[in-house]
């Protein structure tokens, strides 16, 4: 008997979960920047980094699964590789951690600017479906491919 190779499932992304994450990032970061509460950006940034590195352990995913149905959100799953979104989430989480660190170090203006950048990019993604972190991911992959091809 010849064993056949396992069929590979296409990568999937829940667009509804992405929107939930972006709205959460906008509101929590806005609250943190307006009230100068670096603990909020610290916790949110850490949650985003966990989700970027270990998506199955993502606190943001857990919050979406818990709160999404109560908010009337329904999964909108598409066949799309989520790695670019994970990368973008890692970039946003890094910016939020840096925002918290600068604010705690006595540089609240720098912390606020980093927070506002994250807010602006999340709003851009929500309103125009332009994911700057995803573009960064694809450019990195393209450059890496060109470098390795030599």
């Amino acid at each position: 008997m010849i064993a056949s190779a396992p069929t590979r499932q296409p990568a999937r992304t829940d667009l509804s979960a992405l929107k939930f994450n972006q709205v959460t990032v906008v509101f929590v970061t806005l609250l943190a920047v307006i009230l100068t509460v670096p603990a909020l950006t610290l916790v949110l940034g850490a949650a985003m980094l966990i989700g970027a590195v270990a998506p199955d352990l993502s606190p943001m995913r857990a919050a979406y699964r818990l709160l999404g149905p109560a908010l009337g959100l329904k999964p909108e799953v598409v066949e799309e590789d989520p790695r670019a979104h994970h990368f973008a989430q890692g970039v946003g989480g890094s910016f939020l951690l840096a925002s918290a660190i600068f604010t705690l170090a006595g540089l609240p203006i720098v912390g606020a600017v980093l927070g506002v950048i994250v807010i602006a990019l999340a709003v851009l993604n929500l309103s125009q479906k332009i994911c700057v972190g995803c573009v960064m991911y694809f450019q990195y992959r393209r450059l890496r491919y060109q470098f390795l091809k030599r």
Side-chain angles (χ1 to χ4, degrees), residues 10-37:
R12 296 175 168 235
T13 299
D14 184 350
L15 299 179
S16 189
L18 293 178
K19 290 175 192 167
F20 174 85
N21 289 353
Q22 293 158 2
V23 169
T24 301
V25 166
V26 169
F27 283 110
V28 172
T29 307
L30 190 59
L31 190 62
V33 168
I34 289 171
L35 300 177
T36 315
V37 181

mmCIF file with all atom_site columns, all heavy atoms in Angstrom, residues 10-37:
data_model
loop_
_atom_site.group_PDB
_atom_site.id
_atom_site.type_symbol
_atom_site.label_atom_id
_atom_site.label_alt_id
_atom_site.label_comp_id
_atom_site.label_asym_id
_atom_site.label_entity_id
_atom_site.label_seq_id
_atom_site.pdbx_PDB_ins_code
_atom_site.Cartn_x
_atom_site.Cartn_y
_atom_site.Cartn_z
_atom_site.occupancy
_atom_site.B_iso_or_equiv
_atom_site.pdbx_formal_charge
_atom_site.auth_seq_id
_atom_site.auth_comp_id
_atom_site.auth_asym_id
_atom_site.auth_atom_id
_atom_site.pdbx_PDB_model_num
ATOM 1   N N   . PRO A 1 10 ? -5.256  25.040 3.304  1.00 0.00 ? 10 PRO A N   1
ATOM 2   C CA  . PRO A 1 10 ? -4.867  26.427 3.048  1.00 0.00 ? 10 PRO A CA  1
ATOM 3   C C   . PRO A 1 10 ? -4.887  27.228 4.351  1.00 0.00 ? 10 PRO A C   1
ATOM 4   O O   . PRO A 1 10 ? -5.681  26.956 5.245  1.00 0.00 ? 10 PRO A O   1
ATOM 5   C CB  . PRO A 1 10 ? -5.933  26.929 2.075  1.00 0.00 ? 10 PRO A CB  1
ATOM 6   C CG  . PRO A 1 10 ? -7.078  25.984 2.201  1.00 0.00 ? 10 PRO A CG  1
ATOM 7   C CD  . PRO A 1 10 ? -6.520  24.688 2.692  1.00 0.00 ? 10 PRO A CD  1
ATOM 8   N N   . ALA A 1 11 ? -3.979  28.179 4.445  1.00 0.00 ? 11 ALA A N   1
ATOM 9   C CA  . ALA A 1 11 ? -3.931  29.040 5.627  1.00 0.00 ? 11 ALA A CA  1
ATOM 10  C C   . ALA A 1 11 ? -5.190  29.897 5.657  1.00 0.00 ? 11 ALA A C   1
ATOM 11  O O   . ALA A 1 11 ? -5.691  30.317 4.612  1.00 0.00 ? 11 ALA A O   1
ATOM 12  C CB  . ALA A 1 11 ? -2.686  29.897 5.581  1.00 0.00 ? 11 ALA A CB  1
ATOM 13  N N   . ARG A 1 12 ? -5.680  30.132 6.857  1.00 0.00 ? 12 ARG A N   1
ATOM 14  C CA  . ARG A 1 12 ? -6.922  30.887 6.999  1.00 0.00 ? 12 ARG A CA  1
ATOM 15  C C   . ARG A 1 12 ? -6.748  32.065 7.942  1.00 0.00 ? 12 ARG A C   1
ATOM 16  O O   . ARG A 1 12 ? -5.973  31.996 8.885  1.00 0.00 ? 12 ARG A O   1
ATOM 17  C CB  . ARG A 1 12 ? -8.027  29.978 7.506  1.00 0.00 ? 12 ARG A CB  1
ATOM 18  C CG  . ARG A 1 12 ? -8.342  28.896 6.514  1.00 0.00 ? 12 ARG A CG  1
ATOM 19  C CD  . ARG A 1 12 ? -9.346  27.932 7.063  1.00 0.00 ? 12 ARG A CD  1
ATOM 20  N NE  . ARG A 1 12 ? -9.801  27.093 5.975  1.00 0.00 ? 12 ARG A NE  1
ATOM 21  C CZ  . ARG A 1 12 ? -11.060 26.935 5.642  1.00 0.00 ? 12 ARG A CZ  1
ATOM 22  N NH1 . ARG A 1 12 ? -11.998 27.514 6.336  1.00 0.00 ? 12 ARG A NH1 1
ATOM 23  N NH2 . ARG A 1 12 ? -11.385 26.185 4.630  1.00 0.00 ? 12 ARG A NH2 1
ATOM 24  N N   . THR A 1 13 ? -7.523  33.095 7.675  1.00 0.00 ? 13 THR A N   1
ATOM 25  C CA  . THR A 1 13 ? -7.513  34.299 8.494  1.00 0.00 ? 13 THR A CA  1
ATOM 26  C C   . THR A 1 13 ? -8.950  34.713 8.749  1.00 0.00 ? 13 THR A C   1
ATOM 27  O O   . THR A 1 13 ? -9.764  34.724 7.825  1.00 0.00 ? 13 THR A O   1
ATOM 28  C CB  . THR A 1 13 ? -6.769  35.441 7.770  1.00 0.00 ? 13 THR A CB  1
ATOM 29  O OG1 . THR A 1 13 ? -5.419  35.026 7.543  1.00 0.00 ? 13 THR A OG1 1
ATOM 30  C CG2 . THR A 1 13 ? -6.772  36.721 8.576  1.00 0.00 ? 13 THR A CG2 1
ATOM 31  N N   . ASP A 1 14 ? -9.260  35.043 9.994  1.00 0.00 ? 14 ASP A N   1
ATOM 32  C CA  . ASP A 1 14 ? -10.589 35.532 10.353 1.00 0.00 ? 14 ASP A CA  1
ATOM 33  C C   . ASP A 1 14 ? -10.545 37.065 10.309 1.00 0.00 ? 14 ASP A C   1
ATOM 34  O O   . ASP A 1 14 ? -9.971  37.706 11.191 1.00 0.00 ? 14 ASP A O   1
ATOM 35  C CB  . ASP A 1 14 ? -10.980 35.032 11.741 1.00 0.00 ? 14 ASP A CB  1
ATOM 36  C CG  . ASP A 1 14 ? -12.393 35.428 12.145 1.00 0.00 ? 14 ASP A CG  1
ATOM 37  O OD1 . ASP A 1 14 ? -13.019 36.252 11.440 1.00 0.00 ? 14 ASP A OD1 1
ATOM 38  O OD2 . ASP A 1 14 ? -12.863 34.916 13.186 1.00 0.00 ? 14 ASP A OD2 1
ATOM 39  N N   . LEU A 1 15 ? -11.145 37.632 9.278  1.00 0.00 ? 15 LEU A N   1
ATOM 40  C CA  . LEU A 1 15 ? -11.129 39.083 9.103  1.00 0.00 ? 15 LEU A CA  1
ATOM 41  C C   . LEU A 1 15 ? -11.873 39.793 10.225 1.00 0.00 ? 15 LEU A C   1
ATOM 42  O O   . LEU A 1 15 ? -11.511 40.903 10.619 1.00 0.00 ? 15 LEU A O   1
ATOM 43  C CB  . LEU A 1 15 ? -11.723 39.457 7.743  1.00 0.00 ? 15 LEU A CB  1
ATOM 44  C CG  . LEU A 1 15 ? -10.996 38.902 6.520  1.00 0.00 ? 15 LEU A CG  1
ATOM 45  C CD1 . LEU A 1 15 ? -11.700 39.316 5.234  1.00 0.00 ? 15 LEU A CD1 1
ATOM 46  C CD2 . LEU A 1 15 ? -9.540  39.328 6.504  1.00 0.00 ? 15 LEU A CD2 1
ATOM 47  N N   . SER A 1 16 ? -12.880 39.141 10.770 1.00 0.00 ? 16 SER A N   1
ATOM 48  C CA  . SER A 1 16 ? -13.630 39.714 11.888 1.00 0.00 ? 16 SER A CA  1
ATOM 49  C C   . SER A 1 16 ? -12.738 39.839 13.124 1.00 0.00 ? 16 SER A C   1
ATOM 50  O O   . SER A 1 16 ? -12.801 40.836 13.851 1.00 0.00 ? 16 SER A O   1
ATOM 51  C CB  . SER A 1 16 ? -14.857 38.847 12.189 1.00 0.00 ? 16 SER A CB  1
ATOM 52  O OG  . SER A 1 16 ? -15.693 39.474 13.109 1.00 0.00 ? 16 SER A OG  1
ATOM 53  N N   . ALA A 1 17 ? -11.887 38.856 13.348 1.00 0.00 ? 17 ALA A N   1
ATOM 54  C CA  . ALA A 1 17 ? -10.940 38.911 14.477 1.00 0.00 ? 17 ALA A CA  1
ATOM 55  C C   . ALA A 1 17 ? -9.934  40.036 14.269 1.00 0.00 ? 17 ALA A C   1
ATOM 56  O O   . ALA A 1 17 ? -9.582  40.744 15.229 1.00 0.00 ? 17 ALA A O   1
ATOM 57  C CB  . ALA A 1 17 ? -10.219 37.577 14.640 1.00 0.00 ? 17 ALA A CB  1
ATOM 58  N N   . LEU A 1 18 ? -9.476  40.225 13.038 1.00 0.00 ? 18 LEU A N   1
ATOM 59  C CA  . LEU A 1 18 ? -8.546  41.325 12.748 1.00 0.00 ? 18 LEU A CA  1
ATOM 60  C C   . LEU A 1 18 ? -9.190  42.678 13.057 1.00 0.00 ? 18 LEU A C   1
ATOM 61  O O   . LEU A 1 18 ? -8.564  43.546 13.668 1.00 0.00 ? 18 LEU A O   1
ATOM 62  C CB  . LEU A 1 18 ? -8.086  41.287 11.293 1.00 0.00 ? 18 LEU A CB  1
ATOM 63  C CG  . LEU A 1 18 ? -7.222  40.106 10.863 1.00 0.00 ? 18 LEU A CG  1
ATOM 64  C CD1 . LEU A 1 18 ? -6.901  40.208 9.372  1.00 0.00 ? 18 LEU A CD1 1
ATOM 65  C CD2 . LEU A 1 18 ? -5.952  40.021 11.680 1.00 0.00 ? 18 LEU A CD2 1
ATOM 66  N N   . LYS A 1 19 ? -10.442 42.844 12.645 1.00 0.00 ? 19 LYS A N   1
ATOM 67  C CA  . LYS A 1 19 ? -11.147 44.105 12.909 1.00 0.00 ? 19 LYS A CA  1
ATOM 68  C C   . LYS A 1 19 ? -11.319 44.317 14.412 1.00 0.00 ? 19 LYS A C   1
ATOM 69  O O   . LYS A 1 19 ? -11.140 45.424 14.918 1.00 0.00 ? 19 LYS A O   1
ATOM 70  C CB  . LYS A 1 19 ? -12.505 44.109 12.216 1.00 0.00 ? 19 LYS A CB  1
ATOM 71  C CG  . LYS A 1 19 ? -12.404 44.211 10.718 1.00 0.00 ? 19 LYS A CG  1
ATOM 72  C CD  . LYS A 1 19 ? -13.766 44.079 10.069 1.00 0.00 ? 19 LYS A CD  1
ATOM 73  C CE  . LYS A 1 19 ? -13.629 43.883 8.579  1.00 0.00 ? 19 LYS A CE  1
ATOM 74  N NZ  . LYS A 1 19 ? -14.881 43.439 7.956  1.00 0.00 ? 19 LYS A NZ  1
ATOM 75  N N   . PHE A 1 20 ? -11.688 43.253 15.124 1.00 0.00 ? 20 PHE A N   1
ATOM 76  C CA  . PHE A 1 20 ? -11.832 43.338 16.582 1.00 0.00 ? 20 PHE A CA  1
ATOM 77  C C   . PHE A 1 20 ? -10.511 43.799 17.205 1.00 0.00 ? 20 PHE A C   1
ATOM 78  O O   . PHE A 1 20 ? -10.499 44.682 18.064 1.00 0.00 ? 20 PHE A O   1
ATOM 79  C CB  . PHE A 1 20 ? -12.253 41.974 17.150 1.00 0.00 ? 20 PHE A CB  1
ATOM 80  C CG  . PHE A 1 20 ? -12.291 41.927 18.645 1.00 0.00 ? 20 PHE A CG  1
ATOM 81  C CD1 . PHE A 1 20 ? -13.417 42.355 19.341 1.00 0.00 ? 20 PHE A CD1 1
ATOM 82  C CD2 . PHE A 1 20 ? -11.203 41.464 19.371 1.00 0.00 ? 20 PHE A CD2 1
ATOM 83  C CE1 . PHE A 1 20 ? -13.448 42.321 20.730 1.00 0.00 ? 20 PHE A CE1 1
ATOM 84  C CE2 . PHE A 1 20 ? -11.227 41.425 20.760 1.00 0.00 ? 20 PHE A CE2 1
ATOM 85  C CZ  . PHE A 1 20 ? -12.358 41.857 21.443 1.00 0.00 ? 20 PHE A CZ  1
ATOM 86  N N   . ASN A 1 21 ? -9.413  43.201 16.772 1.00 0.00 ? 21 ASN A N   1
ATOM 87  C CA  . ASN A 1 21 ? -8.097  43.566 17.300 1.00 0.00 ? 21 ASN A CA  1
ATOM 88  C C   . ASN A 1 21 ? -7.780  45.034 17.016 1.00 0.00 ? 21 ASN A C   1
ATOM 89  O O   . ASN A 1 21 ? -7.280  45.755 17.892 1.00 0.00 ? 21 ASN A O   1
ATOM 90  C CB  . ASN A 1 21 ? -7.007  42.684 16.705 1.00 0.00 ? 21 ASN A CB  1
ATOM 91  C CG  . ASN A 1 21 ? -7.052  41.270 17.223 1.00 0.00 ? 21 ASN A CG  1
ATOM 92  O OD1 . ASN A 1 21 ? -7.802  40.935 18.132 1.00 0.00 ? 21 ASN A OD1 1
ATOM 93  N ND2 . ASN A 1 21 ? -6.243  40.413 16.629 1.00 0.00 ? 21 ASN A ND2 1
ATOM 94  N N   . GLN A 1 22 ? -8.046  45.476 15.802 1.00 0.00 ? 22 GLN A N   1
ATOM 95  C CA  . GLN A 1 22 ? -7.723  46.847 15.422 1.00 0.00 ? 22 GLN A CA  1
ATOM 96  C C   . GLN A 1 22 ? -8.544  47.856 16.221 1.00 0.00 ? 22 GLN A C   1
ATOM 97  O O   . GLN A 1 22 ? -8.002  48.862 16.697 1.00 0.00 ? 22 GLN A O   1
ATOM 98  C CB  . GLN A 1 22 ? -7.931  47.042 13.923 1.00 0.00 ? 22 GLN A CB  1
ATOM 99  C CG  . GLN A 1 22 ? -6.943  46.261 13.091 1.00 0.00 ? 22 GLN A CG  1
ATOM 100 C CD  . GLN A 1 22 ? -7.431  46.007 11.676 1.00 0.00 ? 22 GLN A CD  1
ATOM 101 O OE1 . GLN A 1 22 ? -8.498  46.440 11.283 1.00 0.00 ? 22 GLN A OE1 1
ATOM 102 N NE2 . GLN A 1 22 ? -6.627  45.281 10.916 1.00 0.00 ? 22 GLN A NE2 1
ATOM 103 N N   . VAL A 1 23 ? -9.834  47.573 16.389 1.00 0.00 ? 23 VAL A N   1
ATOM 104 C CA  . VAL A 1 23 ? -10.686 48.473 17.174 1.00 0.00 ? 23 VAL A CA  1
ATOM 105 C C   . VAL A 1 23 ? -10.212 48.498 18.624 1.00 0.00 ? 23 VAL A C   1
ATOM 106 O O   . VAL A 1 23 ? -10.134 49.563 19.245 1.00 0.00 ? 23 VAL A O   1
ATOM 107 C CB  . VAL A 1 23 ? -12.172 48.060 17.067 1.00 0.00 ? 23 VAL A CB  1
ATOM 108 C CG1 . VAL A 1 23 ? -13.028 48.801 18.075 1.00 0.00 ? 23 VAL A CG1 1
ATOM 109 C CG2 . VAL A 1 23 ? -12.691 48.299 15.650 1.00 0.00 ? 23 VAL A CG2 1
ATOM 110 N N   . THR A 1 24 ? -9.862  47.338 19.151 1.00 0.00 ? 24 THR A N   1
ATOM 111 C CA  . THR A 1 24 ? -9.346  47.267 20.523 1.00 0.00 ? 24 THR A CA  1
ATOM 112 C C   . THR A 1 24 ? -8.065  48.079 20.655 1.00 0.00 ? 24 THR A C   1
ATOM 113 O O   . THR A 1 24 ? -7.905  48.848 21.610 1.00 0.00 ? 24 THR A O   1
ATOM 114 C CB  . THR A 1 24 ? -9.084  45.792 20.920 1.00 0.00 ? 24 THR A CB  1
ATOM 115 O OG1 . THR A 1 24 ? -10.306 45.060 20.816 1.00 0.00 ? 24 THR A OG1 1
ATOM 116 C CG2 . THR A 1 24 ? -8.529  45.686 22.322 1.00 0.00 ? 24 THR A CG2 1
ATOM 117 N N   . VAL A 1 25 ? -7.170  47.929 19.706 1.00 0.00 ? 25 VAL A N   1
ATOM 118 C CA  . VAL A 1 25 ? -5.901  48.670 19.733 1.00 0.00 ? 25 VAL A CA  1
ATOM 119 C C   . VAL A 1 25 ? -6.167  50.174 19.697 1.00 0.00 ? 25 VAL A C   1
ATOM 120 O O   . VAL A 1 25 ? -5.574  50.939 20.462 1.00 0.00 ? 25 VAL A O   1
ATOM 121 C CB  . VAL A 1 25 ? -4.987  48.234 18.560 1.00 0.00 ? 25 VAL A CB  1
ATOM 122 C CG1 . VAL A 1 25 ? -3.838  49.213 18.361 1.00 0.00 ? 25 VAL A CG1 1
ATOM 123 C CG2 . VAL A 1 25 ? -4.469  46.833 18.797 1.00 0.00 ? 25 VAL A CG2 1
ATOM 124 N N   . VAL A 1 26 ? -7.068  50.609 18.831 1.00 0.00 ? 26 VAL A N   1
ATOM 125 C CA  . VAL A 1 26 ? -7.360  52.046 18.721 1.00 0.00 ? 26 VAL A CA  1
ATOM 126 C C   . VAL A 1 26 ? -7.897  52.579 20.048 1.00 0.00 ? 26 VAL A C   1
ATOM 127 O O   . VAL A 1 26 ? -7.387  53.581 20.579 1.00 0.00 ? 26 VAL A O   1
ATOM 128 C CB  . VAL A 1 26 ? -8.360  52.328 17.572 1.00 0.00 ? 26 VAL A CB  1
ATOM 129 C CG1 . VAL A 1 26 ? -8.879  53.762 17.633 1.00 0.00 ? 26 VAL A CG1 1
ATOM 130 C CG2 . VAL A 1 26 ? -7.713  52.056 16.220 1.00 0.00 ? 26 VAL A CG2 1
ATOM 131 N N   . PHE A 1 27 ? -8.909  51.921 20.614 1.00 0.00 ? 27 PHE A N   1
ATOM 132 C CA  . PHE A 1 27 ? -9.536  52.468 21.813 1.00 0.00 ? 27 PHE A CA  1
ATOM 133 C C   . PHE A 1 27 ? -8.643  52.374 23.046 1.00 0.00 ? 27 PHE A C   1
ATOM 134 O O   . PHE A 1 27 ? -8.546  53.329 23.808 1.00 0.00 ? 27 PHE A O   1
ATOM 135 C CB  . PHE A 1 27 ? -10.901 51.810 22.058 1.00 0.00 ? 27 PHE A CB  1
ATOM 136 C CG  . PHE A 1 27 ? -11.959 52.334 21.144 1.00 0.00 ? 27 PHE A CG  1
ATOM 137 C CD1 . PHE A 1 27 ? -12.488 51.543 20.147 1.00 0.00 ? 27 PHE A CD1 1
ATOM 138 C CD2 . PHE A 1 27 ? -12.407 53.649 21.246 1.00 0.00 ? 27 PHE A CD2 1
ATOM 139 C CE1 . PHE A 1 27 ? -13.455 52.032 19.287 1.00 0.00 ? 27 PHE A CE1 1
ATOM 140 C CE2 . PHE A 1 27 ? -13.363 54.157 20.393 1.00 0.00 ? 27 PHE A CE2 1
ATOM 141 C CZ  . PHE A 1 27 ? -13.892 53.347 19.409 1.00 0.00 ? 27 PHE A CZ  1
ATOM 142 N N   . VAL A 1 28 ? -7.972  51.265 23.236 1.00 0.00 ? 28 VAL A N   1
ATOM 143 C CA  . VAL A 1 28 ? -7.107  51.120 24.416 1.00 0.00 ? 28 VAL A CA  1
ATOM 144 C C   . VAL A 1 28 ? -5.918  52.065 24.319 1.00 0.00 ? 28 VAL A C   1
ATOM 145 O O   . VAL A 1 28 ? -5.562  52.734 25.299 1.00 0.00 ? 28 VAL A O   1
ATOM 146 C CB  . VAL A 1 28 ? -6.654  49.653 24.604 1.00 0.00 ? 28 VAL A CB  1
ATOM 147 C CG1 . VAL A 1 28 ? -5.607  49.534 25.692 1.00 0.00 ? 28 VAL A CG1 1
ATOM 148 C CG2 . VAL A 1 28 ? -7.849  48.760 24.916 1.00 0.00 ? 28 VAL A CG2 1
ATOM 149 N N   . THR A 1 29 ? -5.321  52.159 23.137 1.00 0.00 ? 29 THR A N   1
ATOM 150 C CA  . THR A 1 29 ? -4.165  53.048 22.974 1.00 0.00 ? 29 THR A CA  1
ATOM 151 C C   . THR A 1 29 ? -4.584  54.504 23.107 1.00 0.00 ? 29 THR A C   1
ATOM 152 O O   . THR A 1 29 ? -3.876  55.302 23.733 1.00 0.00 ? 29 THR A O   1
ATOM 153 C CB  . THR A 1 29 ? -3.466  52.785 21.628 1.00 0.00 ? 29 THR A CB  1
ATOM 154 O OG1 . THR A 1 29 ? -3.157  51.398 21.525 1.00 0.00 ? 29 THR A OG1 1
ATOM 155 C CG2 . THR A 1 29 ? -2.190  53.598 21.510 1.00 0.00 ? 29 THR A CG2 1
ATOM 156 N N   . LEU A 1 30 ? -5.721  54.863 22.548 1.00 0.00 ? 30 LEU A N   1
ATOM 157 C CA  . LEU A 1 30 ? -6.223  56.237 22.674 1.00 0.00 ? 30 LEU A CA  1
ATOM 158 C C   . LEU A 1 30 ? -6.438  56.585 24.144 1.00 0.00 ? 30 LEU A C   1
ATOM 159 O O   . LEU A 1 30 ? -6.024  57.661 24.611 1.00 0.00 ? 30 LEU A O   1
ATOM 160 C CB  . LEU A 1 30 ? -7.522  56.392 21.880 1.00 0.00 ? 30 LEU A CB  1
ATOM 161 C CG  . LEU A 1 30 ? -8.066  57.794 21.691 1.00 0.00 ? 30 LEU A CG  1
ATOM 162 C CD1 . LEU A 1 30 ? -7.056  58.682 20.987 1.00 0.00 ? 30 LEU A CD1 1
ATOM 163 C CD2 . LEU A 1 30 ? -9.363  57.736 20.896 1.00 0.00 ? 30 LEU A CD2 1
ATOM 164 N N   . LEU A 1 31 ? -7.037  55.679 24.883 1.00 0.00 ? 31 LEU A N   1
ATOM 165 C CA  . LEU A 1 31 ? -7.252  55.884 26.311 1.00 0.00 ? 31 LEU A CA  1
ATOM 166 C C   . LEU A 1 31 ? -5.918  56.045 27.041 1.00 0.00 ? 31 LEU A C   1
ATOM 167 O O   . LEU A 1 31 ? -5.744  56.948 27.870 1.00 0.00 ? 31 LEU A O   1
ATOM 168 C CB  . LEU A 1 31 ? -8.036  54.699 26.887 1.00 0.00 ? 31 LEU A CB  1
ATOM 169 C CG  . LEU A 1 31 ? -8.564  54.811 28.301 1.00 0.00 ? 31 LEU A CG  1
ATOM 170 C CD1 . LEU A 1 31 ? -9.570  55.953 28.414 1.00 0.00 ? 31 LEU A CD1 1
ATOM 171 C CD2 . LEU A 1 31 ? -9.213  53.502 28.707 1.00 0.00 ? 31 LEU A CD2 1
ATOM 172 N N   . ALA A 1 32 ? -4.959  55.192 26.704 1.00 0.00 ? 32 ALA A N   1
ATOM 173 C CA  . ALA A 1 32 ? -3.643  55.248 27.342 1.00 0.00 ? 32 ALA A CA  1
ATOM 174 C C   . ALA A 1 32 ? -2.928  56.562 27.045 1.00 0.00 ? 32 ALA A C   1
ATOM 175 O O   . ALA A 1 32 ? -2.300  57.144 27.939 1.00 0.00 ? 32 ALA A O   1
ATOM 176 C CB  . ALA A 1 32 ? -2.783  54.074 26.876 1.00 0.00 ? 32 ALA A CB  1
ATOM 177 N N   . VAL A 1 33 ? -3.026  57.030 25.798 1.00 0.00 ? 33 VAL A N   1
ATOM 178 C CA  . VAL A 1 33 ? -2.342  58.268 25.411 1.00 0.00 ? 33 VAL A CA  1
ATOM 179 C C   . VAL A 1 33 ? -3.016  59.482 26.054 1.00 0.00 ? 33 VAL A C   1
ATOM 180 O O   . VAL A 1 33 ? -2.342  60.349 26.618 1.00 0.00 ? 33 VAL A O   1
ATOM 181 C CB  . VAL A 1 33 ? -2.295  58.409 23.872 1.00 0.00 ? 33 VAL A CB  1
ATOM 182 C CG1 . VAL A 1 33 ? -1.854  59.799 23.449 1.00 0.00 ? 33 VAL A CG1 1
ATOM 183 C CG2 . VAL A 1 33 ? -1.375  57.349 23.267 1.00 0.00 ? 33 VAL A CG2 1
ATOM 184 N N   . ILE A 1 34 ? -4.335  59.529 26.009 1.00 0.00 ? 34 ILE A N   1
ATOM 185 C CA  . ILE A 1 34 ? -5.054  60.684 26.563 1.00 0.00 ? 34 ILE A CA  1
ATOM 186 C C   . ILE A 1 34 ? -4.858  60.783 28.077 1.00 0.00 ? 34 ILE A C   1
ATOM 187 O O   . ILE A 1 34 ? -4.619  61.868 28.611 1.00 0.00 ? 34 ILE A O   1
ATOM 188 C CB  . ILE A 1 34 ? -6.556  60.605 26.217 1.00 0.00 ? 34 ILE A CB  1
ATOM 189 C CG1 . ILE A 1 34 ? -6.749  60.868 24.722 1.00 0.00 ? 34 ILE A CG1 1
ATOM 190 C CG2 . ILE A 1 34 ? -7.371  61.600 27.038 1.00 0.00 ? 34 ILE A CG2 1
ATOM 191 C CD1 . ILE A 1 34 ? -8.152  60.606 24.216 1.00 0.00 ? 34 ILE A CD1 1
ATOM 192 N N   . LEU A 1 35 ? -4.945  59.647 28.765 1.00 0.00 ? 35 LEU A N   1
ATOM 193 C CA  . LEU A 1 35 ? -4.835  59.645 30.225 1.00 0.00 ? 35 LEU A CA  1
ATOM 194 C C   . LEU A 1 35 ? -3.395  59.469 30.721 1.00 0.00 ? 35 LEU A C   1
ATOM 195 O O   . LEU A 1 35 ? -3.165  59.478 31.929 1.00 0.00 ? 35 LEU A O   1
ATOM 196 C CB  . LEU A 1 35 ? -5.722  58.550 30.819 1.00 0.00 ? 35 LEU A CB  1
ATOM 197 C CG  . LEU A 1 35 ? -7.211  58.658 30.521 1.00 0.00 ? 35 LEU A CG  1
ATOM 198 C CD1 . LEU A 1 35 ? -7.961  57.470 31.107 1.00 0.00 ? 35 LEU A CD1 1
ATOM 199 C CD2 . LEU A 1 35 ? -7.777  59.978 31.049 1.00 0.00 ? 35 LEU A CD2 1
ATOM 200 N N   . THR A 1 36 ? -2.457  59.283 29.807 1.00 0.00 ? 36 THR A N   1
ATOM 201 C CA  . THR A 1 36 ? -1.049  59.011 30.135 1.00 0.00 ? 36 THR A CA  1
ATOM 202 C C   . THR A 1 36 ? -0.953  57.847 31.124 1.00 0.00 ? 36 THR A C   1
ATOM 203 O O   . THR A 1 36 ? -0.436  57.979 32.239 1.00 0.00 ? 36 THR A O   1
ATOM 204 C CB  . THR A 1 36 ? -0.334  60.262 30.694 1.00 0.00 ? 36 THR A CB  1
ATOM 205 O OG1 . THR A 1 36 ? -0.671  61.390 29.901 1.00 0.00 ? 36 THR A OG1 1
ATOM 206 C CG2 . THR A 1 36 ? 1.182   60.079 30.646 1.00 0.00 ? 36 THR A CG2 1
ATOM 207 N N   . VAL A 1 37 ? -1.461  56.689 30.684 1.00 0.00 ? 37 VAL A N   1
ATOM 208 C CA  . VAL A 1 37 ? -1.428  55.466 31.499 1.00 0.00 ? 37 VAL A CA  1
ATOM 209 C C   . VAL A 1 37 ? -0.592  54.426 30.746 1.00 0.00 ? 37 VAL A C   1
ATOM 210 O O   . VAL A 1 37 ? -1.126  53.639 29.959 1.00 0.00 ? 37 VAL A O   1
ATOM 211 C CB  . VAL A 1 37 ? -2.850  54.936 31.775 1.00 0.00 ? 37 VAL A CB  1
ATOM 212 C CG1 . VAL A 1 37 ? -2.800  53.687 32.642 1.00 0.00 ? 37 VAL A CG1 1
ATOM 213 C CG2 . VAL A 1 37 ? -3.715  55.999 32.408 1.00 0.00 ? 37 VAL A CG2 1
#
